[in-house]
Amino acid sequence: MVQSVAAQVIKGKVIDAKTDEPVIMANVVIKGTSLGTSTDLDGNFSLDAKKTAFPLRILVSFIGYQELEVEVKSPEQELTIRLREDSEMLEAVDIIEQRLSKKQRESALTVEALDGRAIRETPAPNFYEALGNLKGVDLTSASIGFKIINTRGFNSTSPVRSLQLIDGVDNQAPGLNFSLGNFLGANELDITTVDIIAGASTAFYGPGAFNGVISMTTKDPFLYQGLSFSQKVGERALSETAVRYAESFKLFSDSRDDFAFKINLFYLRADDWEADNYDPVDDSKVDRTNPGRYDAVNVYGDESLASNNERESFEDVKFNNRPGLGIFYRPGYQEVDLVDYDTRNFKGNINLAYRTDNDLRFDYTLNYGTGTTVYQGENRFSLKGIQFMQNIVEVSKQDKFFVRAYATVEDAGQSYDAVLTAFKMNDAVLGDEATWNQTYSSAWSGAPFRFANAFQNAANFNVASPSFDSAFYANEYQDILREYNELLSNFHDSLLGIIAGGRPLPGSAAYDSIFNDVTSRTFTDGGSRFYDRSALYHIMGEYKFEAFDGNMRVGGNFRLYRPNSRGNIFDEVIPSSIKTDSVGNVISQEYRQISNSEFGFYYGAEKFFLGEVLKASFTLRMDKNQNFDYLFSPAASLVYNLGANHTFRGSLGRAIRNPTLQDQYLRYDVGRAVLLGNINGYDSLITFDSFDYYRSQENLDRDNLDFFNVAPIEPERVTTAEIGYRGTWFKRVFVDFNYFHSWYTSFIGFQFGLDPRFDPTFRDRIRSLSAYRVAANAEGLVTTQGFNAGVNYYLDDHLSLSGNYSYNSIDLTPKSNFITKTFYQEELDKSSSEDPIVPAFNTPKHKYNLSFSGRDYKPWKGKDHSLGFAVTYKWIQGFTFEGSPQFTGFINTYDLVDAQVSYAVKPWHSTFKLGASNILNNKVFQVYGGPRVGRLAYFSVLVELD
């Protein structure tokens, strides 16, 4: 019997019959009608049959494949349609079209994509590292377990200007306000696509999407079922195990599966890269040859923070009898003795999904991650037993609406600050630095050692002689220091052995005792372990509809942050509650509960003109944080299709970035400085340069000090203009390029200053001093610009060559032109090279990638086996990395080669892969203060059972 159906929807998936990969943008048409649609980036389609009677027939086609006619008996029938290649047609079609995601085709912004096939073919050890091969994308490796993706500059290990989403859910750590890379992210077996949307994306994604979005889409358990397993082993004792299992079945429905679930498990173990840079820090006043030692990059506790260890002035040498003492440093502890390099990472995920007959869908997801690794932020941190949990609920109807709510909580576990650990250990044994410096300098000249006299006798000069004047000091004395450098080094070594002889060395029971004591106590208890059990709560929704011949959507969100660090990270201690003992040790204190909420609403519209030749889009978003005013983010774009093979795009948009929790509430002592949030502003700080001048004068005078104030932090704003082109030439060449220019106002960076406390009796004498790094806004205009270009050449159906180039630059003193004079005159007038803001751009001006790859070679006739390979060369120009007061320096130019070969045996449902990142073992620094990253060779086995 023929069934007449009104407004019934046919759903299914189109895949490649050989590879099981989704076929993107395949055409699906009801035979004999004009009703049709196309598949999405997962190969899925949804087609409204309207009043067409069942059974009916659909035609499924795509360039390079044989057209297939399929009978559909009822709308409840679930379809998996396998298209076979048309070998004759493949010789003539543009195979490039098969590799573009829907977002790449339609977006006015720059979108870089990595699909399931590209993930399997990458020579990088995992999909997250493979993102670094995309154009305009910067990858930072602070350790094996901690890698960060950024776009368009500001390549920080704390990526607060970009947003990372997994199925639309922000996976940031609540207390840090940014994602910990993929350490707490998705299982590679569960990834279908990763889209990187570069540029200001605030309108739809919120204030966190200031410079871009990393959007991961995982596999739907209704569509991707069965068991998948992978095992990877490699150098540095690498062992990575991943499992995915998904299944669907009928629960309440008789016509189709209405319940599905998936389970993901992942475990990684490796010996991490060691941070062993023992060169002097970049701004060091001395080099390796300094007899009194030096401040090394990855040695902590040797920093010169007090002001009484510089004894090289003429006055000190002559009148205080300090010849040969010079600048000296306390001994420190190497990072390799302070952190746990045994990286471990476990991630688990459970998703339960139920759908009704009218396609209303309910999802519950639990994400959990834990592990141990090394994280670099303001300092180097040993993350031990850190835990991260998300609970997510969602109600949705595809292409119509969704409501999503989630809660994210974290627990720092036994994590601690490695740099602060060394400071605390030194203080426990040697006393505070200022006292130790005084003891050291007195012992240099005094009895019984009298190194100052021994030096004078050996070099045959006398500081007490009238001939030792300022001219002699500036000339002959400097020659003497160079000539007797080895003798002075021996004197300093001898004195250090005397003054610090009782200092415990790594490996000793005494060292372990002090180390365990310091790392077991939190910051507020005088230790280096940090306490963080912060949480965030988020709810959002979106509704799509058609109006005025266009597609519309409206949405909104609300977020609540609940930081909880007990004063270890945030300014939570109530000063009036502090109780101390007779010597000043804190006995007890109370904490305030910080809460920070924000909400936003958006509207978006898009409409096609001239058929589908021109697409115009407009969005408007409003955001409100409890501490700041209402802010609006408008954006407009055009996409113009010139025929089937050429697309031009342009956009102009504004984005805002609310100050993070740390920008607002931080209070954290990293040793060199106290890092401060700035919700209320700071008064009467002094500049470092004026303090250096003040203390260099024979008579101290506070009038020589330059005082300044820091205004309270406010949201950052950016306006970005972008143009781009993507197109196909000669059927096998794909070209994509874009240029952008951004204008930042109220740019959020940092200001450094000193907080002096003057002696109440002697008004010009500073009794004590604290160094601060304060979150602050630039007063002037800051601009960035960049250009990205990529070319893919498909030599045939198997071989391809590709390359991409990226240019990025920042200008803290932009020149006057029509745009800046018209829209930013006030900020332009304030722009100055004297602006103290530290931008932390951390991005190479030039970089490029070159790749050569092959796929689907059939080495054996009559066997369903295939061979693939890929080789990638990367070149990155050197740049200044401004990480923190502890870690700021220059990263040298470097290059890397990654390579892999894979072999798939379809009857076994298995793929074998042998590869290596940095195959030439060119050990390089990617972040200042981080490890030398060398080769990581690996072998993996992937098994996929339907």
Side-chain angles (χ1 to χ4, degrees), residues 254-459:
D254 295 328
S255 59
R256 66 171 182 173
D257 290 351
D258 59 351
F259 180 80
F261 72 90
K262 67 178 178 180
I263 300 173
N264 286 284
L265 299 173
F266 173 93
Y267 183 75
L268 165 73
R269 192 241 168 250
D271 293 336
D272 216 328
W273 308 109
E274 296 181 354
D276 56 0
N277 184 355
Y278 302 132
D279 293 333
V281 296
D282 268 20
D283 60 351
S284 176
K285 295 181 179 180
V286 300
D287 58 23
R288 283 178 173 268
T289 65
N290 181 54
R293 299 166 297 282
Y294 61 92
D295 178 5
V297 177
N298 291 127
V299 177
Y300 313 135
D302 60 349
E303 293 80 359
S304 172
L305 305 181
S307 60
N308 61 341
N309 76 331
E310 300 178 11
R311 300 294 188 171
E312 80 279 18
S313 68
F314 172 68
E315 290 76 12
D316 259 321
V317 172
K318 183 171 181 64
F319 301 113
N320 296 327
N321 193 27
R322 301 284 194 265
L325 180 58
I327 300 176
F328 56 92
Y329 296 81
R330 288 205 296 181
Y333 290 106
Q334 297 178 355
E335 181 180 297
V336 295
D337 298 314
L338 294 167
V339 305
D340 185 354
Y341 285 122
D342 185 10
T343 287
R344 297 173 295 281
N345 181 206
F346 170 79
K347 293 180 285 192
N349 161 273
I350 298 174
N351 171 243
L352 307 176
Y354 171 74
R355 60 186 181 183
T356 65
D357 289 338
N358 63 351
D359 292 321
L360 193 63
R361 177 164 170 164
F362 302 84
D363 282 84
Y364 167 73
T365 304
L366 171 66
N367 295 323
Y368 175 78
T370 185
T372 293
T373 190
V374 179
Y375 155 66
Q376 181 167 334
E378 312 299 352
N379 273 344
R380 295 275 290 178
F381 299 90
S382 184
L383 302 183
K384 293 177 66 69
I386 188 172
Q387 297 183 78
F388 178 92
M389 182 180 292
Q390 280 187 323
N391 285 279
I392 308 161
V393 293
E394 181 172 345
V395 181
S396 63
K397 190 169 186 178
Q398 187 174 2
D399 298 325
K400 196 64 178 176
F401 78 89
F402 71 82
V403 177
R404 182 184 303 133
Y406 55 91
T408 306
V409 295
E410 65 183 340
D411 186 339
Q414 293 79 47
S415 303
Y416 58 89
D417 184 329
V419 178
L420 194 60
T421 298
F423 277 75
K424 297 291 185 181
M425 292 178 67
N426 258 353
D427 287 349
V429 177
L430 304 177
D432 68 90
E433 183 191 358
T435 302
W436 189 86
N437 289 346
Q438 186 60 49
T439 301
Y440 191 95
S441 58
S442 297
W444 178 262
S445 302
F449 314 114
R450 302 188 187 281
F451 291 109
N453 290 341
F455 171 45
Q456 293 176 83
N457 293 336

Side-chain angles (χ1 to χ4, degrees), residues 290 460 579 740 746:
N290 181 54
N460 194 28
K579 297 180 180 179
F740 70 89
S746 299

Side-chain angles (χ1 to χ4, degrees), residues 522-759:
T522 63
F523 300 161
T524 51
D525 292 328
S528 63
R529 182 168 69 87
F530 60 90
Y531 178 99
D532 184 16
R533 293 185 179 177
S534 299
L536 73 81
Y537 306 93
H538 189 97
I539 185 168
M540 61 190 300
E542 181 179 273
Y543 178 73
K544 297 180 180 179
F545 60 98
E546 294 182 4
F548 308 107
D549 298 323
N551 298 316
M552 314 288 168
R553 55 174 163 167
V554 293
N557 69 277
F558 173 81
R559 175 172 291 188
L560 174 66
Y561 292 101
R562 297 278 285 180
N564 178 14
S565 73
R566 297 178 65 84
N568 286 265
I569 301 174
F570 299 107
D571 187 13
E572 297 159 302
V573 177
I574 301 173
S576 60
S577 72
I578 299 175
K579 297 180 180 179
T580 60
D581 60 19
S582 58
V583 294
N585 296 316
V586 176
I587 301 173
S588 66
Q589 55 193 2
E590 297 177 2
Y591 311 97
R592 64 178 175 133
Q593 175 63 66
I594 296 174
S595 291
N596 188 270
S597 63
E598 59 188 32
F599 64 89
F601 298 98
Y602 62 85
Y603 165 78
E606 63 179 37
K607 185 175 181 178
F608 285 95
F609 298 90
L610 306 176
E612 293 192 358
V613 172
L614 179 67
K615 186 180 78 169
S617 301
F618 172 78
T619 59
L620 177 64
R621 183 182 179 94
M622 182 278 295
D623 283 286
K624 175 69 174 74
N625 181 285
Q626 70 178 47
N627 291 327
F628 309 107
D629 291 334
Y630 289 91
L631 296 170
F632 293 88
S633 305
S637 65
L638 291 173
V639 177
Y640 177 74
N641 296 303
L642 182 61
N645 295 326
H646 304 282
T647 300
F648 298 86
R649 63 190 189 272
S651 65
L652 178 65
R654 185 181 186 187
I656 62 103
R657 180 169 83 87
N658 284 322
T660 65
L661 290 182
Q662 295 194 24
D663 291 331
Q664 298 179 58
Y665 304 109
L666 182 67
R667 187 174 187 87
Y668 182 58
D669 188 343
V670 295
R672 289 182 183 270
V674 178
L675 313 184
L676 297 175
N678 183 19
I679 195 66
N680 296 313
Y682 287 89
D683 295 334
S684 303
L685 301 180
I686 62 175
T687 65
F688 281 81
D689 288 343
S690 70
F691 176 70
D692 286 340
Y693 179 77
Y694 157 86
R695 65 176 178 168
S696 69
Q697 301 305 298
E698 184 173 348
N699 296 315
L700 299 178
D701 185 350
R702 68 189 299 166
D703 291 337
N704 289 325
L705 297 170
D706 292 334
F707 290 83
F708 68 96
N709 301 329
V710 182
I713 197 76
E714 63 179 64
E716 182 177 338
R717 301 165 180 82
V718 66
T719 300
T720 298
E722 178 177 347
I723 56 172
Y725 163 81
R726 63 176 70 93
T728 303
W729 294 81
F730 314 113
K731 297 183 178 180
R732 292 189 178 272
V733 179
F734 175 67
V735 178
D736 188 354
F737 67 80
N738 73 286
Y739 169 80
F740 70 89
H741 198 114
S742 296
W743 296 265
Y744 292 85
T745 57
S746 299
F747 179 89
I748 296 177
F750 307 107
Q751 281 189 244
F752 289 92
L754 298 169
D755 184 16
R757 284 164 291 281
F758 290 92
D759 191 302

Side-chain angles (χ1 to χ4, degrees), residues 6 30 32 77 98 162 268 292 372 423 465 515 681 844:
I30 297 176
Q77 181 180 347
Q98 302 173 38
S162 61
L268 165 73
T372 293
F423 277 75
S465 169
F515 176 84

